[in-house]
Amino acid sequence: MIESVEVEKGEASLVRLRTRIVGEAHPALKLPPGLKGRYLWVERIYRGRLKPRKGEFVVLTHEELKGLLEHGREPLVPGRAFKEDVDADGHSEVNFEGDVLRFSVAPHRGATLRSLEYRGKEFFMGKGEYLNVNYIELGGVDDHIESGKYGGALSSLKYEYEVDEGEIRLTGRAKGFEIEKAINLERDFPLLTVRTSFKARKKAELNYWMRMAVRGVPGRSVILLPARDGLVRERYHFQYLDSLFRGLEISRMSLPGILVLDEAEGVSLLAVFSRLPENVAYRSYGTFFTVEPAFERAQLKKGEVSQCVLGLIPGTFYSSSRFHLGVFDFLEEAMRNKLVSSLVTVESRAPELLLKGKRISYSRIGEFGETHLWKLDVDTEERDLEEASLLIGGESYGIDGL
Amino acid sequence: MGSTAFDPLTFGYEWETFLTGKNMVPIKSDEVKRLGRKLQAEFPETRTGTDHIRGLDSKFLEIRSGILSDYQGLDGRTRETIGAIKRVCREKDLVFFPLGSHPLFGKAAGYHLHVGSVYSLKVAQDLARSLTPYVPLIAAFMANSPFWGISEPPGGFKSYRVKYFADWCSTVIVPVERGLGQFVWGNDVLVKGIEKPTVEIRVMDSPLSVSLLAEASIFIVALTLNLAERHGSGMMDRNTYMEYVVNRRRAARWGLQALFDWRGERVPASDILEELVGSVLPAARKLGLDGFELLEKMARKRVTQADFLLSLYDGRDLHVYTRDLGNLLERERDPFADFLEEAPELPVVEAESAEDMILSHITIETPFRLLYESLEFPYDFIEDVVEEFRKRGLVKVSRAPEKGILLTRIR
């Protein structure tokens, strides 16, 4: 609210407003502690009649509030993790930096994986779309336990957290569950793992689904969903009415994963889940699209734990079928050019990369439910990949660039 | 049809308006409902209540005039109601925010005018058909939604609401031949006869100016009266229909700066409005309005409420702007009328062809469905144009069993 106004006249007036902070500009934005009731002088240029008067309300920008907010980078693990408000919501996110991958998590807002950056390409961060009276979409991956409705109890939950070398562990309580999240970034391999556990405080039904809001480039973003009757390929087109009336829902997944391709920037992102989702929904919005895997409801006894793991692996090449999804990239390391690749397959035998006439076997990272996660790294040049192919269970698959 | 079509001549409106908190976020449905009930109790002759905002957990305060018969009744009742709403808003720290879209959320807020009483559905259909060519002009001078959240650039369209078919509540009219009458939900002009003895014009954006609301309403009622004097045709002429469809899009984009295809010629929308203002004046006088002061100025300067909103926007944060705009609308009685005095004349904008509109919607593997739903041009028209693009090497056409035709722009 404006307490006083000073105006320097000219064609456009420079206006100095003495403001008192009375509350959030949107229910989804939480005012940082200690801000309410504080006074702040703000200088703005106004042309004509929009100039506010004493007693009226104004919305303050992040820039204007900067002086009252905690600022700058606060190191948590030197060279590895730091606190900083990267999405300009007034609260610091916890940020991790690996050799090729960076991520941010927002403990104050549902422990949302807010940002994932690979080689300078941001997968999630939105500009803040006002989707509802209680929800602003900033992009990212968050958790839900209420049916069909985003922005529910978990999205606004505040988590406690601890950080060490390459991992952040977050804890929160909501709706009869103790929730633990552990987000881990591999140091020398582009793999981010998000492990989410729900422990029932009493007998409860868990209806878990996650929502990945991915920045979309109309016509140039593609999502690949492996279904039992073939690979479903959906290209992102902004259509306003789409988000109101329909989305694509696939309840016949053959693999617990999806592949997101950004043809505009030549980057792909493999997302793997530890369980086969009951269905995966896709919806398009103005500047982003969502992928929403929903898992079968679980009846939990008191003290029982249900866990879901999400693996996120970016790359610049990819390979896909209804039986496998994979990404490939080259990392420079001590003057060597290293090809790294991750695959998720239905087939339990190790896949092989046929490269320059040689067969190179993948090594197992782990089992994700009924499926298998593999990795490979080998010294080679990018041009060699053009002729390469994947051998999985006696079938040969090509490798595509973007 | 003749003026006996109306027995008697009545009209009334439904005006969808946003009610927000001091942060400019629409308030909860229950609070809007309470205010609606309070207003209806205070003005029992009105039917004020709430209406659904698609995709938002809030509701419009829908101001319903009840049945009116002249300008004085319209203006008086509207100003009384607005006075009461603003009083409650002051008491409860709310903002009355009548725009065609909410700058932060988008969402289509309309102004629907009913003209009646027409008890013959056949006559009502003919009236709706006669009004069809004028729909783009009405959309143009009522444009008041140049913001649509962050997913669209401010001012990219003067009426994003009309562009987005008012969230499918004001869509391109589906032609129905005489003798084959059906109720079709959502048309820009709707034969409401099965429910109310009226023809409902739905294409207008919710206005911020009460003076414009009154003038525009009388203009449309008078135009409908004039059209009723003529004999309506049982069929929709193809050229007239295509002019309507294409002009509608131009009106959404450019408001009164649009250049229309009009009876086979290229004519500025503003010229058509200027001429019509003169020709409907005698009918308007019978309704108690002596002149169209605002509409005449708007036509002369090609300025709409959307231009007023855009004149205040200097690229700053949209939420900051929305709050400042809320202050202005609370503070000033009719800022649009004042703006009109000083507003510069705007130029006529060269018309984009229907073909260019279609081509600009094709990127990579664009589904035919999306093309149709973005433009609502007739299927066969789009198909013919796409075939022409294919022949000229502009577009590649592919087929997908689950999605139908996919179009990719080659150059």
Side-chain angles (χ1 to χ4, degrees):
Chain A
M1 177 184 261
I2 299 169
E3 296 286 321
S4 67
V5 181
E6 293 175 12
V7 180
E8 287 174 35
K9 291 209 167 147
E11 195 174 299
S13 308
L14 175 65
V15 181
R16 295 191 75 229
L17 307 169
R18 185 171 186 256
T19 61
R20 183 164 53 88
I21 297 168
V22 293
E24 287 92 358
H26 188 288
L29 302 169
K30 297 295 168 215
L31 212 55
L35 236 57
K36 197 165 182 175
R38 298 271 301 269
Y39 288 86
L40 180 69
W41 278 101
V42 174
E43 271 191 6
R44 286 181 179 175
I45 291 173
Y46 278 102
R47 275 192 301 255
R49 54 222 299 181
L50 219 52
K51 191 166 52 207
R53 313 262 170 91
K54 188 178 173 183
E56 292 182 341
F57 293 95
V58 287
V59 167
L60 299 175
T61 64
H62 184 255
E63 280 298 302
E64 289 168 335
L65 280 168
K66 252 183 181 172
L68 297 182
L69 298 172
E70 282 179 31
H71 253 295
R73 245 174 212 224
E74 186 188 323
L76 295 169
V77 178
R80 187 81 172 137
F82 59 93
K83 271 172 77 176
E84 189 176 5
D85 181 9
V86 292
D87 62 6
D89 68 347
H91 297 265
S92 290
E93 285 73 41
V94 176
N95 307 276
F96 280 77
E97 290 182 328
D99 292 340
V100 287
L101 202 59
R102 298 169 173 210
F103 77 91
S104 300
V105 59
H108 61 281
R109 200 176 164 182
T112 303
L113 184 63
R114 169 67 62 230
S115 156
L116 182 65
E117 194 184 304
Y118 180 65
R119 297 184 183 279
K121 149 53 189 196
E122 173 58 59
F123 285 100
F124 299 145
M125 188 79 82
K127 283 194 285 181
E129 270 200 58
Y130 287 58
L131 283 200
N132 209 335
V133 292
N134 55 7
Y135 194 77
I136 298 176
E137 184 56 71
L138 293 168
V141 184
D142 55 8
D143 306 304
H144 297 271
I145 51 175
E146 289 118 339
S147 277
K149 190 159 185 170
Y150 56 83
L154 296 193
S155 293
S156 54
L157 186 64
K158 190 175 173 185
Y159 283 70
E160 300 295 321
Y161 66 91
E162 287 174 13
V163 173
D164 67 20
E165 184 68 8
E167 186 170 273
I168 176 169
R169 288 180 301 280
L170 303 112
T171 51
R173 280 160 76 99
K175 300 253 173 188
F177 295 101
E178 283 169 18
I179 308 160
E180 279 187 25
K181 288 187 84 158
I183 307 177
N184 180 283
L185 180 62
E186 295 281 320
R187 182 173 269 282
D188 57 352
F189 195 76
L191 167 65
L192 183 75
T193 314
V194 183
R195 205 172 293 273
T196 307
S197 307
F198 291 88
K199 182 178 179 184
R201 295 211 301 266
K202 53 188 179 186
K203 186 181 169 194
E205 185 183 73
L206 180 66
N207 173 27
Y208 178 60
W209 58 285
M210 63 176 87
R211 182 167 181 271
M212 304 173 63
V214 182
R215 193 170 65 89
V217 185
R220 305 299 299 274
S221 300
V222 176
I223 175 168
L224 300 174
L225 301 119
R228 286 199 287 274
D229 56 341
L231 193 68
V232 177
R233 190 164 167 277
E234 192 71 26
R235 190 172 284 275
Y236 167 69
H237 295 284
F238 164 41
Q239 191 186 10
Y240 172 69
L241 293 168
D242 243 18
S243 56
L244 292 178
F245 292 109
R246 59 179 154 238
L248 172 75
E249 279 208 32
I250 294 183
S251 306
R252 48 179 206 279
M253 296 290 287
S254 56
L255 262 181
I258 53 152
L259 197 52
V260 173
L261 313 177
D262 181 342
E263 292 178 351
E265 298 196 43
V267 188
S268 53
L269 178 67
L270 172 63
V272 193
F273 321 111
S274 59
R275 279 184 274 158
L276 194 69
E278 197 171 51
N279 71 74
V280 177
Y282 161 87
R283 277 170 209 286
S284 77
Y285 292 84
T287 56
F288 66 96
F289 58 90
T290 62
V291 186
E292 301 165 10
F295 301 94
E296 197 176 356
R297 287 170 191 247
Q299 303 296 333
L300 301 184
K301 292 178 192 151
K302 185 181 175 184
E304 205 174 349
V305 176
S306 172
Q307 191 183 70
C308 186
V309 186
L310 163 69
L312 291 168
I313 312 157
T316 51
F317 298 87
Y318 72 97
S319 179
S320 59
S321 75
R322 67 178 157 139
F323 301 116
H324 85 283
L325 294 173
V327 285
F328 304 80
D329 209 349
F330 289 90
L331 301 178
E332 271 184 42
E333 197 178 80
M335 308 295 282
R336 290 161 51 213
N337 215 7
K338 190 169 78 165
L339 170 69
V340 293
S341 170
S342 297
L343 283 181
V344 58
T345 62
V346 172
E347 169 67 42
S348 61
R349 281 174 296 167
E352 293 171 316
L353 180 70
L354 187 59
L355 187 71
K356 291 190 286 184
K358 285 186 189 164
R359 291 177 169 221
I360 306 156
S361 285
Y362 278 74
S363 55
R364 187 187 298 270
I365 299 176
E367 286 178 14
F368 266 47
E370 304 283 301
T371 51
H372 308 273
L373 188 62
W374 311 88
K375 77 171 187 177
L376 168 147
D377 65 71
V378 58
D379 289 356
T380 190
E381 296 298 319
E382 192 168 321
R383 63 175 177 272
D384 299 332
L385 203 59
E386 286 169 21
E387 302 296 321
S389 59
L390 271 177
L391 301 170
I392 306 171
E395 295 287 330
S396 173
Y397 299 95
I399 295 161
D400 295 307
L402 280 164
Chain B
M1 287 178 279
S3 54
T4 52
F6 305 101
D7 184 22
L9 176 70
T10 57
F11 60 93
Y13 63 75
E14 293 141 3
W15 180 15
E16 295 170 338
T17 63
F18 294 102
L19 269 187
T20 78
K22 56 186 181 238
N23 56 8
M24 303 309 291
V25 175
I27 58 171
K28 288 185 178 154
S29 303
D30 285 352
E31 288 181 67
V32 189
K33 275 184 192 166
R34 265 199 296 279
L35 180 57
R37 283 196 288 266
K38 194 176 160 131
L39 286 166
Q40 202 177 116
E42 192 170 344
F43 304 103
E45 68 279 18
T46 74
R47 297 288 182 272
T48 295
T50 60
D51 204 353
H52 180 60
I53 307 179
R54 206 179 284 279
L56 218 58
D57 291 336
S58 180
K59 285 200 179 291
F60 289 122
L61 175 69
E62 186 170 89
I63 305 167
R64 301 175 192 133
S65 66
I67 297 171
L68 300 164
S69 55
D70 60 18
Y71 170 74
Q72 283 69 28
L74 163 69
D75 196 49
R77 194 172 287 180
T78 306
R79 288 186 193 279
E80 265 183 0
T81 313
I82 296 302
I85 293 169
K86 288 200 165 180
R87 195 179 63 236
V88 177
C89 285
R90 274 194 298 275
E91 285 165 15
K92 295 186 178 291
D93 255 349
L94 302 176
V95 183
F96 175 59
F97 203 51
L99 265 67
S101 64
H102 193 295
L104 298 171
F105 296 90
K107 309 303 170 194
Y111 177 73
H112 306 156
L113 186 73
H114 290 254
V115 186
S117 301
V118 187
Y119 290 92
S120 161
L121 292 170
K122 290 179 192 167
V123 172
Q125 261 176 229
D126 286 350
L127 262 180
R129 209 174 284 116
S130 308
L131 274 163
T132 302
Y134 300 92
V135 164
L137 183 70
I138 296 169
F141 69 70
M142 291 299 278
N144 193 29
S145 52
F147 298 97
W148 199 263
I150 67 153
S151 56
E152 289 282 15
F157 278 69
K158 301 269 179 92
S159 175
Y160 277 115
R161 176 184 162 275
V162 172
K163 176 189 178 186
Y164 286 122
F165 308 106
D167 295 343
W168 275 3
C169 289
S170 188
T171 53
V172 166
I173 294 164
V174 177
V176 178
E177 286 180 32
R178 189 182 274 171
L180 300 173
Q182 291 285 348
F183 180 80
V184 183
W185 163 249
N187 277 355
D188 284 338
V189 180
L190 200 57
V191 175
K192 204 77 183 205
I194 54 166
E195 191 184 321
K196 286 181 171 57
T198 65
V199 172
E200 184 187 12
I201 299 98
R202 300 172 61 86
V203 78
M204 293 86 81
D205 284 0
S206 176
L208 61 91
S209 165
V210 173
S211 313
L212 179 62
L213 177 153
E215 265 193 33
S217 303
I218 296 296
F219 173 86
I220 296 164
V221 175
L223 174 66
T224 312
L225 271 173
N226 275 14
L227 292 172
E229 297 295 333
R230 301 184 205 160
H231 289 289
S233 150
M235 293 287 285
M236 178 73 72
D237 160 66
R238 187 183 184 278
N239 291 340
T240 308
Y241 185 71
M242 280 312 299
E243 283 183 353
Y244 149 65
V245 176
V246 174
N247 288 342
R248 186 189 189 283
R249 177 89 184 174
R250 291 176 182 154
R253 180 137 191 219
W254 296 110
L256 281 174
Q257 290 181 266
L259 191 59
F260 281 176
D261 291 335
W262 190 249
R263 296 166 187 162
E265 306 283 329
R266 282 274 162 96
V267 183
S270 52
D271 288 3
I272 302 168
L273 178 60
E274 240 173 338
E275 192 189 316
L276 280 175
V277 157
S279 65
V280 306
L281 192 56
R285 286 201 174 112
K286 287 182 192 162
L287 293 162
L289 182 70
D290 286 335
F292 294 105
E293 201 186 325
L294 284 180
L295 285 175
E296 276 176 358
K297 272 187 210 151
M298 288 168 69
R300 211 163 44 244
K301 296 188 169 186
R302 303 184 191 95
V303 163
T304 62
Q305 294 167 105
D307 298 296
F308 164 65
L309 295 176
L310 289 167
S311 76
L312 299 169
Y313 182 68
D314 59 2
R316 68 182 59 192
D317 179 282
L318 210 49
H319 204 152
V320 171
Y321 165 80
T322 305
R323 181 57 263 192
D324 292 343
L325 180 64
N327 288 333
L328 176 71
L329 298 185
E330 282 181 309
R331 193 191 310 139
E332 296 191 16
R333 195 160 169 265
D334 198 342
F336 173 64
D338 298 339
F339 166 76
L340 210 47
E341 293 297 325
E342 68 215 32
E345 192 176 298
L346 298 175
V348 175
V349 177
E350 192 52 50
E352 190 185 18
S353 70
E355 289 75 10
D356 285 347
M357 290 178 196
I358 292 173
L359 193 60
S360 68
H361 277 79
I362 302 173
T363 56
I364 301 171
E365 295 172 0
T366 304
F368 188 93
R369 167 187 69 79
L370 193 148
L371 206 56
Y372 171 72
E373 288 181 359
S374 302
L375 294 165
E376 293 197 353
F377 292 174
Y379 295 144
D380 42 6
F381 178 79
I382 302 179
E383 210 167 81
D384 290 349
V385 171
V386 165
E387 176 57 15
E388 190 56 35
F389 289 159
R390 193 192 62 77
K391 282 183 188 160
R392 286 163 56 197
L394 294 173
V395 162
K396 186 181 128 198
V397 181
S398 54
R399 296 171 180 196
E402 272 196 72
K403 294 181 188 301
I405 298 290
L406 300 177
L407 306 164
T408 298
R409 183 135 173 205
I410 299 168
R411 59 187 171 87

